[in-house]
Amino acid sequence: MSLTVVLHEPQDLVNIAGVVRAMANMGLLRLTVVDPAEFDPWRITGIAHRTDHIVDRIRRADTLDEALADATYVVGTSARARTAQRNYRRPRELAATMQRRSREGSVALVFGREDRGLSNEALDRCHDVLVIPTDPEHSSLNLAQAVLLISYELFLAGGVEPEPLPRGKRSLGPATAAELEEMYGALKQGLTRIEFFKARKPESVMRVLRTVFGRTGLDAHEARLVRSIGYELRNWADRQIDK
Ligand code: SAH
């Protein structure tokens, strides 16, 4: 259905223009900018010529959650591995999967700001995290060049994958980011109420669960089931108090 490039808090308009140009080169059309430091469509098309078909449709969002609400598969990007374990992947290895998932639902490909990359909270929203291989001493690419390299892999992988497999009639399709956030919220609430966390850090436990569920690609029905488990844990804890 769609693949959207999401720029989280881009600081430099010239980089936005560079991204637009790379997208035009590789046939990508949808761009969302989240809380950009500067934004001016006229200047962007002045730098990236013949890109009105992309620039006219740029979506602006105030928060990353807003930008990702409808996404069914969220792929982040990072120049280096951080402390927390995540589902790190190489662009070439993931490109065909991204193409396939963009036919089944909405894929968001998220890039971080020039000076600090994506925050831990932003990476928590991502099912997989792409790392472009580089010289280890110089792993941080220019934002637009990172977009170009990943778009290029997507371009090469395009058309290779067969049509999506048939799905059961009852299948609701992949869960959206908003549905998943609700699920994680319910699960965290439930686990808190049964005092699961104790000495464990809730953020770390939730991060591991996100990594695990991120690998599975939950459909909407499955996400609802897990969400209900969270709610039922909470209800169970409430009943213990009433007794
Ligand atoms: N100093 C930041 C680098 C930010 S570069 C840091 O250490 O994280 C800006 C953005 O370009 C990154 O957030 C990421 O989206 C993308 N990027 C840069 N280098 C990359 C690489 N090697 N692999 C994947 N994405 C990269």
Side-chain angles (χ1 to χ4, degrees):
M1 270 162 39
S2 73
L3 191 144
T4 304
V5 172
V6 178
L7 302 182
H8 190 223
E9 300 175 356
Q11 299 299 297
D12 186 345
L13 184 122
V14 173
N15 281 334
I16 302 181
V19 167
V20 167
R21 180 167 189 162
M23 289 175 61
N25 290 138
M26 296 303 148
L28 297 178
L29 298 172
R30 288 166 207 261
L31 176 63
T32 300
V33 288
V34 182
D35 193 18
E38 45 176 352
F39 187 77
D40 178 350
W42 189 79
R43 278 180 59 208
I44 293 174
T45 41
I47 302 168
H49 302 287
R50 298 186 49 233
T51 55
D52 303 83
H53 61 300
I54 298 171
V55 175
D56 289 348
R57 289 167 64 189
I58 292 180
R59 244 187 76 202
R60 291 186 61 174
D62 293 328
T63 63
L64 191 60
D65 273 336
E66 184 191 330
L68 299 181
D70 297 333
T72 49
Y73 180 44
V74 182
V75 180
T77 51
S78 178
R80 59 199 160 88
R82 313 292 176 92
T83 319
Q85 171 57 21
R86 308 212 178 257
N87 298 322
Y88 289 114
R89 310 290 296 269
R90 293 294 187 205
R92 188 155 299 175
E93 170 203 340
L94 204 65
T97 303
M98 290 171 68
Q99 288 284 12
R100 175 176 54 79
R101 301 210 41 175
S102 75
R103 286 197 284 272
E104 295 169 356
S106 308
V107 174
L109 178 54
V110 189
F111 293 84
R113 51 187 278 177
E114 294 89 334
D115 49 351
R116 335 189 187 120
L118 291 170
S119 65
N120 271 322
E121 290 67 36
L123 287 168
D124 282 347
R125 298 286 181 277
C126 303
H127 303 120
D128 287 305
V129 178
L130 290 179
V131 181
I132 301 167
T134 58
D135 177 329
E137 300 295 316
H138 300 92
S139 62
S140 175
L141 286 145
N142 164 270
L143 175 58
Q145 293 174 346
V147 171
L148 178 64
L149 288 177
I150 294 174
S151 314
Y152 176 65
E153 292 296 341
L154 287 167
F155 184 80
L156 291 183
V160 174
E161 276 276 306
E163 282 303 292
L165 286 168
R167 283 206 304 249
K169 288 217 174 64
R170 291 242 179 86
S171 169
L172 296 173
T176 64
E179 287 165 342
L180 288 177
E181 285 315 303
E182 228 184 293
M183 175 189 97
Y184 290 124
L187 209 49
K188 186 172 176 195
Q189 239 185 42
L191 292 173
T192 307
R193 295 294 276 275
I194 62 164
E195 295 173 18
F196 174 80
F197 295 117
K198 298 198 177 67
R200 302 179 182 101
K201 270 204 191 140
E203 314 86 74
S204 314
V205 172
M206 291 312 295
R207 195 158 283 150
V208 174
L209 291 178
R210 281 173 181 276
T211 310
V212 174
F213 284 121
R215 273 202 297 271
T216 67
L218 294 173
D219 71 21
H221 181 250
E222 293 161 341
R224 279 182 209 167
L225 183 72
V226 177
R227 187 186 64 187
S228 312
I229 294 175
Y231 287 143
E232 288 306 329
L233 288 176
R234 187 192 60 191
N235 295 342
W236 181 85
D238 286 347
R239 285 198 298 275
Q240 301 313 300
I241 295 165
D242 293 343
K243 267 186 197 163

